[in-house]
Amino acid sequence: MELSLSHIEEVYMGFDDLFPASSAKNFGAFWQPIRIRSTLSRSESQTVYLVINHTGIFSDNQTWFNTLISLLR
């Protein structure tokens, strides 16, 4: 899947109603998913959740979240 930076509307790190903390081991005490919402067309958008390099306890999501935010500024 390819996602253009110019189409990204929102980057959020944390749990929500669709991906609740209760769905993660340890209720997400050590990591949180990255949610990226992007525009496909004027009337259509998509939401992608990322969990990067998850070891069973930790993930690299904070590093990637910070990188995405710096690229989008």
Side-chain angles (χ1 to χ4, degrees), residues 6-67:
S6 63
H7 291 139
I8 293 176
E9 292 179 352
E10 176 187 60
V11 177
Y12 172 81
M13 193 164 106
F15 294 97
D16 59 17
D17 291 338
L18 189 60
F19 195 147
S22 61
S23 68
K25 186 176 183 177
N26 297 325
F27 292 94
F30 302 106
W31 63 272
Q32 297 177 340
I34 298 172
R35 180 181 72 208
I36 301 173
R37 191 173 69 225
S38 63
T39 304
L40 298 176
S41 68
R42 288 182 181 237
S43 62
E44 190 177 13
S45 66
Q46 72 176 359
T47 302
V48 177
Y49 291 84
L50 302 174
V51 180
I52 302 168
N53 294 330
H54 188 259
T55 65
I57 298 176
F58 299 105
S59 76
D60 287 337
N61 282 7
Q62 186 65 57
T63 301
W64 283 97
F65 176 78
N66 294 341
T67 301

